Amino acid sequence: MICKWKEIATIISWWIFSETIQLNLTNDRNLNMTLENISTAIETLKAINHKEELAYEKAFLAFLSIKHMPILILEIPKGLEICRSRPHDTSDFFYFISDFTNPPSQSVKNFARCNRPFQSKFYCSDTLQTSFIELAENWAETKHAGDKLYVTTGFWCTKKALQSIIVLSPDKINRTSTFDKEHGKALDFEIEKYNGEFKEAMILFYRFLFDIFRVQAKNNPLAYIIATAYSNLSLLKLDGQANCIFYPSVPFMGQGINFAINADFIGIDNIELQTVICNEMAVSMNEFNKHEFTESKSWTAKQLSNIDNEITW
C-alpha cells in the first residue's frame, strides 16, 4: 500500500529552473548570482526578528534580491502512494473525506514548514511510520501514561504527476540519509554545469537552504518563515510548473519523506483516497522515562466514495 521510494527512483526526471541560465554568466556580475549577493541575502534572513509584523515579507524580499535564484525540481510520476494522518482525542470516526484533507485556509493560523497563515497545504508522508513520527513529538508533550489517543490515516494515490521543488545539500559529507544520497547526485549534476563565482554562490545558497529545511523549527519560528518564503517565491516564479514541496522528515532524521502539496492539486482528478484506517494508541513510559505509543485497536473503513466525499465504517 505504501510507496517504496527506491522502486520509482529510476523513473524520476529532474530539471532546474532559473531565469538563469540565459548564460549571461560571463562578464557582468550585476546580472549574476554572486557570493556577495548570496551572503548579503543570507545575513538579511538571519537578522530578521520573527516577532516583527513584516518578518515574512522581509524574508520574501531577501530571496527576491537573489539574482537567478535556482530552483531544483523533481518530477514524480503518477501512482505515488502517500498517507496523511489526523490525530484526535476520541474514538469518533470521520465520515467525510474532507475532514482529513488539507484544512480550509481560514483555519490556518500559524507558519509551518511550507505555509504561512491562511495558506492551506496538503501535508503528507511516504509511509505510515513517517506520518506517526511527525506526530510523536507533540504526543510526547501533551499525553501521559495511561492515556489513549486516536489517529485517522488516509492512504492516497496520485493520478497525475507531481512537480516538486526539492532542497538538497551541496556537500556530500552532509548526505547521511537515504533521501540525500539518492537525490544529491542530481544537484551535483546541475552544479557541475557551472564554474567560477556563480558555482560557488550556488553552493553557498543550497548549503544555507539545506540547514533551514533540516532544522527543528518548533523552537525556531524564523526557520519556518524563511522556508515558507523560499517555497512560495519558488512556486510563484515557476508560475504553475510546480505544485509541491518535497523534503525529508526532520523528526525521522531524514529517513522519511514529506510532501507539502498545493491545495489546488487536491481533487478527484488529481488524487484519490484508497483506504482509511483509525488507530487507538495506548500511552506508556519505558524504562528510560520516554513515551511509548502502542496500537491497542484498529479499524478500517468498509467503504468510501471520493465523488460523494463519504466514508462508511
Side-chain angles (χ1 to χ4, degrees), residues 4 36-37 70 89 107 138 161 189 200-201 207 221 242 257 277 300 305:
K4 300 300 183 185
E36 180 182 6
N37 179 208
D89 293 323
S107 67
N138 179 260
F189 177 78
E200 293 179 37
R207 190 173 287 151
I257 298 167
I277 62 172
T300 301
S305 171

Side-chain angles (χ1 to χ4, degrees), residues 103-305:
S105 57
Q106 64 269 21
S107 67
V108 180
K109 306 300 183 184
N110 298 305
F111 281 95
R113 186 69 63 179
C114 301
N115 71 273
R116 55 168 172 71
F118 304 106
Q119 181 181 21
S120 180
K121 293 285 185 182
F122 184 89
Y123 285 98
C124 53
S125 302
D126 60 334
T127 67
L128 184 61
Q129 183 182 16
T130 305
S131 190
F132 277 18
I133 287 175
E134 288 287 326
L135 297 171
E137 185 177 18
N138 179 260
W139 288 344
E141 292 184 354
T142 58
K143 302 300 179 183
H144 304 90
D147 287 350
K148 300 283 188 184
L149 61 87
Y150 300 86
V151 57
T152 296
T153 302
F155 296 85
W156 307 74
C157 184
T158 57
K159 299 164 72 174
K160 292 183 180 178
L162 279 171
Q163 304 293 338
S164 302
I165 296 166
I166 185 171
V167 174
L168 297 161
S169 173
D171 305 306
K172 292 182 180 179
I173 194 172
N174 289 329
R175 297 175 190 164
T176 57
S177 70
T178 303
F179 175 97
D180 294 319
K181 291 175 182 177
E182 285 182 358
H183 304 302
K185 57 190 175 184
L187 182 59
D188 294 339
F189 177 78
E190 294 300 335
I191 288 175
E192 289 306 315
K193 290 180 180 179
Y194 307 102
N195 52 42
E197 188 173 12
F198 186 88
K199 179 179 180 178
E200 293 179 37
M202 185 181 285
I203 290 171
L204 180 61
F205 176 69
Y206 270 105
R207 190 173 287 151
F208 171 74
L209 277 186
F210 177 82
D211 289 342
I212 288 297
F213 273 84
R214 306 304 169 96
V215 70
Q216 286 280 4
K218 182 178 179 182
N219 298 314
N220 183 7
L222 181 58
Y224 275 168
I225 292 172
I226 292 173
T228 297
Y230 172 75
S231 299
N232 282 340
L233 179 58
S234 298
L235 290 168
L236 184 64
K237 282 178 173 286
L238 288 165
D239 192 23
Q241 296 179 75
N243 44 33
C244 179
I245 314 295
F246 176 70
Y247 62 100
S249 168
V250 174
F252 205 179
M253 304 299 291
Q255 297 304 322
I257 298 167
N258 290 325
F259 305 85
I261 303 176
N262 290 356
D264 59 8
F265 183 86
I266 305 305
I268 59 174
D269 291 334
N270 297 331
I271 189 169
E272 183 176 68
L273 181 64
Q274 297 186 321
T275 308
V276 184
I277 62 172
C278 179
N279 296 103
E280 179 187 83
M281 312 289 285
V283 184
S284 61
M285 305 296 290
N286 63 22
E287 64 271 26
F288 303 107
N289 201 34
K290 299 293 185 181
H291 284 77
E292 289 189 344
F293 308 97
T294 306
E295 179 185 291
S296 50
K297 291 182 182 178
S298 179
W299 302 266
T300 301
K302 294 179 180 178
Q303 187 175 347
L304 56 89
S305 171

